[in-house]
Amino acid sequence: PRVGADRALKRVTESYWRGEATTADLHATAARVRRENWEALRSAGIDEVPCNDFSFYDHVLDTAVLVGAIPPRHAGPADDDESAVRRYFGMARGTDGASPLEMTKWFDTNYHYLVPEIGPDTDFVLDPRKPVSELAEALDLGLDARPVLLGPITFLLLSKPAPGAPEGFAPISRLDDLLDVYAELLATLRGAGARWVQLDEPALVLDQPEEVLAATARAYERLGAVSHRPQLLIATYFDTVGAALPVLRNAPVEGLALDFTGPARSNLDALAAGGGLPGKRLIAGVVDGRNVWKNDLQASLSTLGRLQGFADVVVAPSCSLLHVPLDLALERQLDPQIARWLAFARQKVDETVTLARGMTGGPEAIRSELAANRADLASRASAPMTRNAAVRDRVAGVTPADLRRSTAYAARATAQAARLALPPLPTTTIGSFPQTKALREARAALPTGALAPEDYRARIGAEINRVVGIQEAAGLDVLVHGEPERNDMVQYFAERLTGFLTTRHGWVQSFGTRYVRPPVIAGDVSRPGPMTVDWASFAQGLTDRPVKGMLTGPVTMLSWSYVRDDQPLGDTARQVALALRDEVADLEAAGLAIIQVDEPALREGLPLRAAARPDYLRWATEAFRLATSGVRDDTQIHTHMCYAEFGDVLDAIVALDADVISLEAARSDMAVVRELADADYPAAVGPGVYDIHSPRVPDTAEVVALLDRALEHLPAERVWVNPDCGLKTRREDEVIPALAHMVEAARQARSRIAAAG
Ligand code: GLN
Ligand code: ZN
């Protein structure tokens, strides 16, 4: 984890953004975090440490800067450190004059990267300052350090065509020019003392067409031929390497890193079938970097034993440890009987070292660790928490009728229109309102007793009242309560459902300085009582306009938690869906006419390999329908999704059978609207017309233009007007004018439509 102990990097970065910390403060904290991470690895017994894995915001953005892929709107001086840092954060967050890079999910994780923009004229120029100086820091500490770079193939495949690039232009067509820069970089790093350089190519675990495999072969042919280069290691992770394996095996590089966990376990057979990796070093990822379960040391040892039969093996985690929390030892509140099932980053490092000892010294060398590990795993398998008979019976009793609404969309739409009486192009928001420091402090003060429960409730009630007032004043049609009582959209529910564990310090980077604490689904899931009904009905009681009930969907609950690895995901999803179904029923009974069930993670949960997707999409859409289909026709179900390319899940979006979907669209210029129209999406759509990822306040004309784009593809009676996502990361002084512009844009569009008859 890059953030460091006590989230030091987040603190200093945000303080820099507020104009308090200086660039020097920023660098000092960053250097300390890097040093502490390296020292921790060294003292755990790791032989070779990564460097350049640090980032102030995102490693894909770092790579864009490294190769000079700076969009012209962000061009500006960057020779001195001040201006380089300013330009960097400008690309990430936008500036007054220039929108930021688009942000999207990193493979199937909840980490977001910034999408580089590459055009025919992008002038690749090497700026090696970051990897070179971080290498120097590590070498100064006497470490054997290996710079980690995003590989050229993955970098280009994750990029998008720059604005203005000709139709059909593909960034990968710039490979040869980019390779010039990588070749120069490799020589530079060798000159700076790197023995090995790691090139991450996770894009190779996706189903790539023949041309990409050929381009990969050509790229590494070229980089392998650089004279005076470090030894090269190509790393893939998150899934099987598949058809890219022969390409990598034949590449003139000295090492490969492969994942042998989860769905990637079959890399083992593929490797064995292909005759191993003669002459290459194999970094064997046997410690799962994507989950928090304790490693099965015995099983990993046997994997390593087999691998040793055909390669020179080095033991490692399966991927960067960015995706797990830092240290389980900080979670002192966890029941020790449950904590013994878990491993966070520090513990995974220890497991890696233990396995290496077991691999070289034989099982006797780690006899006591093996015995303790066996007992820990057995205690989990036999714990009552992991098998609740009532939950299991209810899941087994789900019928096909429970999985769909009794009436088709058109008839429901009529019933809902009659009940809700909304204007055309209704305006709404996605749920959360700005989360102030005072609110966070109030939430934190409740469990410690520093704030009495009745004072806390008064505080939240006042906030909801205020937020309802803001929305009425802004002229919004469908209101929200603002979610002030929620720390996080998943954690809030996890704290109210059985089977979920939550952590105190388990922060994991989502994007930039935004960190989340994913809960752990450790046991069977059920709902002891209503979770959201009080505040939802309180809010509805404050206004005549409809207020949306606000829930997090089953797929997102799973995607943003660490999931059980001892039963199929679909089974866990059904348990969560049944708990939500009861909540939906309670909200409806309390008089809420609209219930939004957010599924922002539907797309990211999609398995990376196409072969595994149909099964996922089946259980994922079924779980959503199980949660939402118990309502009356005139109760309107909304869903919300964000930050993703939707192309691969359009059919699933249709299959959710929601009445209204709001989606992220502003940064990608409404592309999703056309896709939905092309897929004959039958229901209503609220494409985001206000990019909430940036502090910029859009003006009315800008919103009108986006709305017009949407109306080119969708009939006005099925269009809603809303921001891209919740407003909780924004400031109130940005949100209030932005919502006013949004409402005004909707009014203008309405009168134009009315005038046109
Ligand atoms: N209702 C949530 C909010 O407004 C949705 C957040 C999300 O999609 N990530 O914050
Ligand atoms: Zn969202």
Side-chain angles (χ1 to χ4, degrees):
R2 300 161 175 162
V3 68
D6 216 15
R7 291 190 292 159
L9 185 65
K10 173 189 170 76
R11 283 172 213 283
V12 73
T13 307
E14 289 177 348
S15 151
Y16 171 81
W17 291 343
R18 286 193 303 269
E20 292 159 19
T22 63
T23 318
D25 298 334
L26 208 53
H27 284 304
T29 303
R32 179 167 57 77
V33 167
R34 290 192 289 265
R35 194 181 58 239
E36 284 171 2
N37 277 344
W38 283 323
E39 295 290 6
L41 292 175
R42 166 153 60 194
S43 57
I46 294 284
D47 300 310
E48 194 179 306
V49 303
C51 61
N52 197 45
D53 54 332
F54 172 83
S55 180
F56 274 117
Y57 202 96
D58 164 43
H59 54 269
V60 182
L61 175 61
D62 294 336
T63 313
V65 171
L66 171 74
V67 302
I70 312 294
R73 66 183 183 282
H74 288 286
D79 308 330
D80 64 291
D81 196 47
E82 291 287 330
S83 53
V85 170
R86 208 172 316 119
R87 184 184 70 179
Y88 179 84
F89 286 130
M91 289 168 72
R93 309 173 69 227
T95 62
D96 282 341
S99 57
L101 301 190
E102 189 183 331
M103 182 162 64
T104 194
K105 302 270 183 193
W106 173 248
F107 298 88
D108 59 348
T109 73
N110 184 31
Y111 175 83
H112 304 70
Y113 70 90
L114 290 160
V115 182
E117 296 169 13
I118 306 293
D121 311 319
T122 301
D123 188 15
F124 294 121
V125 202
L126 180 64
D127 178 352
R129 286 176 285 184
K130 177 179 183 295
V132 167
S133 69
E134 290 178 22
L135 174 64
E137 280 174 23
L139 295 177
D140 276 351
L141 292 171
L143 292 159
D144 187 356
R146 178 179 80 222
V148 178
L149 305 169
L150 187 58
I153 298 291
T154 299
F155 175 74
L156 290 173
L157 291 177
L158 294 183
S159 297
K160 67 173 194 180
E167 184 74 25
F169 171 83
I172 192 80
S173 65
R174 298 295 314 278
L175 179 62
D176 287 330
D177 300 319
L178 182 65
L179 289 173
D180 290 341
V181 171
Y182 271 80
E184 189 186 342
L185 174 61
L186 292 179
T188 306
L189 288 171
R190 167 70 195 265
R195 275 197 321 126
W196 280 89
V197 165
Q198 172 178 330
L199 293 143
D200 281 5
E201 293 286 14
L204 297 178
V205 308
L206 304 174
D207 299 306
Q208 296 294 1
E210 199 49 56
E211 308 87 80
V212 168
L213 297 178
T216 307
R218 195 156 50 83
Y220 285 96
E221 209 51 67
R222 168 83 199 282
L223 296 181
V226 169
S227 56
H228 248 75
R229 65 164 172 82
Q231 301 183 84
L232 298 182
L233 165 65
I234 306 177
T236 68
Y237 37 80
F238 299 156
D239 212 325
T240 54
V241 64
L245 181 58
V247 175
L248 298 182
R249 180 189 277 124
N250 295 331
V253 299
E254 290 68 33
L256 294 187
L258 299 180
D259 186 340
F260 295 97
T261 66
R265 252 189 306 264
S266 61
N267 271 333
L268 179 57
D269 290 332
L271 207 53
L277 282 183
K280 282 199 194 353
R281 185 184 196 202
L282 173 65
I283 311 290
V286 289
V287 173
D288 196 331
R290 292 288 296 280
N291 75 23
V292 293
W293 301 109
K294 197 164 264 186
N295 192 267
D296 182 339
L297 295 180
Q298 190 63 59
S300 297
L301 268 190
S302 83
T303 301
L304 291 169
R306 262 187 83 193
L307 291 172
Q308 279 187 299
F310 43 72
D312 168 18
V313 177
V314 174
V315 187
S318 62
C319 61
S320 148
L321 295 175
L322 190 69
H323 309 291
V324 292
L326 183 61
D327 191 359
L328 181 65
L330 299 172
E331 304 299 330
R332 283 180 281 264
Q333 81 292 353
L334 278 183
D335 175 352
Q337 285 311 315
I338 293 178
R340 66 190 292 208
W341 309 340
L342 302 172
F344 292 178
R346 290 262 155 85
Q347 289 68 40
K348 285 174 186 287
V349 167
D350 291 338
E351 290 177 341
T352 303
V353 173
T354 301
L355 285 166
R357 278 196 0 252
M359 182 179 79
T360 39
E364 325 65 73
I366 56 166
R367 186 199 306 268
S368 64
E369 286 91 339
L370 281 172
N373 182 252
R374 246 191 313 272
D376 291 339
L377 299 185
S379 81
R380 179 176 168 212
S382 62
M385 178 187 192
T386 60
R387 316 214 118 240
N388 174 326
V391 172
R392 284 173 183 258
D393 288 349
R394 190 167 174 213
V395 168
V398 169
T399 67
D402 296 335
L403 298 175
R404 55 181 156 71
R405 289 185 79 169
S406 45
T407 311
Y409 168 71
R412 299 188 323 245
T414 309
Q416 292 159 17
R419 178 173 180 193
L420 292 166
L422 295 169
L425 304 174
T427 52
T428 190
T429 63
I430 304 304
S432 56
F433 262 68
Q435 290 264 347
T436 57
K437 191 155 174 258
L439 270 176
R440 275 193 294 273
E441 282 167 3
R443 275 201 312 266
L446 177 67
T448 66
L451 192 62
E454 56 280 14
D455 294 339
Y456 172 77
R457 294 188 61 83
R459 181 76 195 73
I460 297 291
E463 177 66 11
I464 292 175
N465 205 338
R466 213 174 61 80
V467 161
V468 166
I470 291 175
Q471 296 171 85
E472 288 193 322
L476 288 155
D477 301 305
V478 170
L479 312 193
V480 296
H481 77 290
E483 306 178 23
E485 78 290 15
R486 301 187 191 176
N487 37 15
D488 169 90
M489 65 183 289
V490 168
Q491 173 148 1
Y492 178 81
F493 292 94
E495 284 169 354
R496 284 159 181 78
L497 292 166
T498 68
F500 281 82
L501 312 175
T502 54
T503 68
R504 289 251 169 89
H505 306 279
W507 297 103
V508 176
Q509 190 176 18
S510 173
F511 65 89
T513 58
R514 177 94 191 271
Y515 286 76
V516 295
R517 278 179 297 181
V520 179
I521 308 181
D524 284 344
V525 177
S526 64
R527 185 191 77 137
M531 306 181 283
T532 65
V533 179
D534 279 7
W535 290 128
S537 19
F538 173 77
Q540 185 62 83
L542 297 171
T543 174
D544 295 334
R545 304 183 197 188
V547 171
K548 295 192 272 191
M550 195 60 62
L551 304 175
T552 302
V555 182
T556 300
M557 290 298 295
L558 263 63
S559 280
W560 293 355
S561 300
Y562 294 105
V563 288
R564 299 174 69 158
D565 57 355
D566 59 351
Q567 69 182 20
L569 281 177
D571 294 3
T572 309
R574 279 203 170 189
Q575 294 182 357
V576 177
L578 284 169
L580 290 170
R581 186 179 174 94
D582 295 344
E583 186 72 12
V584 168
D586 285 347
L587 285 168
E588 180 180 63
L592 280 290
I594 305 183
I595 299 165
Q596 177 172 313
V597 178
D598 292 326
E599 283 292 23
L602 183 78
R603 168 66 180 76
E604 81 187 53
L606 198 64
L608 295 172
R609 289 283 182 190
R613 292 180 179 181
D615 180 54
Y616 164 78
L617 292 171
R618 184 195 45 73
W619 68 250
T621 52
E622 273 183 14
F624 182 87
R625 293 198 312 269
L626 180 57
T628 55
S629 64
V631 294
R632 302 195 311 253
D633 286 356
D634 66 355
T635 297
Q636 190 169 67
I637 297 290
H638 287 218
T639 189
H640 164 71
M641 293 177 191
C642 46
Y643 321 133
E645 283 109 41
F646 297 95
D648 298 327
V649 293
L650 285 170
D651 293 344
I653 291 177
V654 175
L656 296 181
D657 197 23
D659 299 304
V660 182
I661 182 169
S662 58
L663 312 113
E664 194 215 278
R667 278 198 190 190
S668 47
D669 202 21
M670 302 277 124
V672 64
V673 177
R674 162 127 55 108
E675 291 175 325
L676 282 173
D678 289 350
D680 291 325
Y681 186 71
V685 182
V689 289
Y690 159 24
D691 172 12
I692 61 85
H693 302 103
S694 155
R696 263 185 77 252
V697 174
D699 56 32
T700 304
E702 208 175 312
V703 179
V704 167
L706 287 172
L707 209 46
D708 284 347
R709 297 281 315 240
L711 291 167
E712 284 167 23
H713 301 287
L714 291 171
E717 59 278 11
R718 288 199 279 119
V719 174
W720 284 61
V721 180
N722 47 257
D724 267 338
C725 193
L727 304 172
K728 75 173 181 192
T729 55
R730 293 273 60 90
R731 289 197 335 231
E732 198 162 296
D733 60 349
E734 299 155 5
V735 161
I736 291 179
L739 292 180
H741 298 166
M742 197 183 85
V743 168
E744 174 55 24
R747 280 200 191 115
Q748 291 180 12
R750 275 174 208 156
S751 38
R752 244 187 312 121
I753 291 168

